[in-house]
Amino acid sequence: MRGLDFSSWQAMLSTLVGLAVITLIGVGIRLLVMQTLQQRRERENRQINERLRTLIAAYKVLGGSFTGTLHVDPRHLRDLHRAAPDDALSLPDGIDAGSDRARRIRDAVEAALSDIILLGTDDQVRLAARAATELAQGRPVQTAELVVSLRDFIRAALDLAPIPASVAIPQQGPARPSAVAKGKGDGDKAGGKAGGGGGGMAGGGMGMGMGHGADDDSGHAR
């Protein structure tokens, strides 16, 4: 306040203008800092949401089944062609290595493990790397331990209470992919063909109607 000069109108005006400029500069700096912090917070939120979305999708793939075969068949089609029947890998009961479903499960599990290695926690990366190594070495893989780690992490990230210890959850395994619904596509094609046929019949009916109309006109002309 010592530097303020109110001895004249000119001095008071210049003092007020200086105070306004200083105030505007302070407000501008504050808005810039707040905008920078908000953009950083939004970027972090997007990263967290993308990470959670990816890990939730991996959890659904690795732990989407409670019944049936809870192992992952590690063999590829080329391995089945190369290996003789007596040299087949020892797999748990219930795994049909030659089925297309087993191969699709393995491909989905490999993609989920890759995502976990990229975005998971240290414990999840370790479990996913061990599972990927077992797949690469041709050994059947169980994903129950990794599924439990993913479930606990996702619930904690979403501020959900931990699952009570009294709740018994069955062992989880990879989700079984649903078969491609060919009936719907065939039905659509059949419907299209039927619609085309109906259009042809309608066109024929219109042609016949026009023909009768022409005959009537010619009769009246006579």
Side-chain angles (χ1 to χ4, degrees), residues 182-198:
K182 296 182 179 179
K184 182 177 180 181
D186 295 341
D188 293 339
K189 293 181 179 178
K193 292 181 180 178

Side-chain angles (χ1 to χ4, degrees), residues 15 17 20 58 71 79 124 140 166 172 190:
T15 301
V17 170
H71 297 77
D79 299 329
Q124 294 166 6
S166 59
Q172 296 174 249

Side-chain angles (χ1 to χ4, degrees), residues 2-217:
R2 294 180 181 180
L4 300 180
D5 186 6
F6 298 101
S7 60
S8 63
W9 288 103
Q10 294 82 3
M12 184 175 64
L13 183 61
S14 62
T15 301
L16 294 177
V17 170
L19 289 175
V21 170
I22 293 175
T23 303
L24 289 177
I25 292 176
V27 172
I29 293 175
R30 181 178 179 182
L31 291 177
L32 181 61
V33 172
M34 291 178 62
Q35 184 178 5
T36 302
L37 294 176
Q38 183 178 2
Q39 291 178 352
R40 181 182 301 177
R41 189 179 300 109
E42 291 177 354
R43 183 172 61 252
E44 292 176 352
N45 289 336
R46 287 195 299 268
Q47 293 175 353
I48 293 173
N49 292 335
E50 185 65 25
R51 182 185 186 188
L52 280 177
R53 188 180 300 111
T54 302
L55 293 179
I56 289 174
Y59 171 82
K60 292 180 179 179
V61 172
L62 298 179
S65 177
F66 293 95
T67 60
T69 302
L70 302 181
H71 297 77
V72 183
D73 179 9
R75 292 185 290 184
H76 292 262
L77 186 60
R78 63 177 182 271
D79 299 329
L80 298 176
H81 290 167
R82 292 175 184 174
D86 53 351
D87 295 334
L89 298 174
S90 59
L91 295 174
D93 297 336
I95 293 184
D96 185 6
S99 65
D100 182 66
R101 173 177 289 186
R103 291 193 295 271
R104 284 186 285 137
I105 290 176
R106 186 201 59 239
D107 294 341
V109 168
E110 287 181 350
L113 292 177
S114 177
D115 291 338
I116 294 173
I117 292 175
L118 178 63
L119 299 175
T121 62
D122 294 341
D123 184 59
Q124 294 166 6
V125 170
R126 177 180 57 82
L127 294 174
R130 186 177 66 184
T133 302
E134 292 179 353
L135 279 178
Q137 295 177 354
R139 294 196 298 268
V141 177
Q142 287 188 348
T143 60
E145 186 177 0
L146 181 56
V147 167
V148 172
S149 177
L150 286 172
R151 183 175 62 221
D152 295 341
F153 173 78
I154 292 171
R155 291 185 65 88
L158 296 176
D159 293 332
L160 299 176
I163 297 178
S166 59
V167 178
I169 299 177
Q171 189 176 13
Q172 296 174 249
R176 295 185 292 274
S178 58
V180 179
K182 296 182 179 179
K184 182 177 180 181
D186 295 341
D188 293 339
K189 293 181 179 178
K193 292 181 180 178
M201 294 176 64
M206 292 176 63
M208 293 175 64
M210 292 177 66
H212 287 299
D215 293 340
D216 294 341
D217 291 340

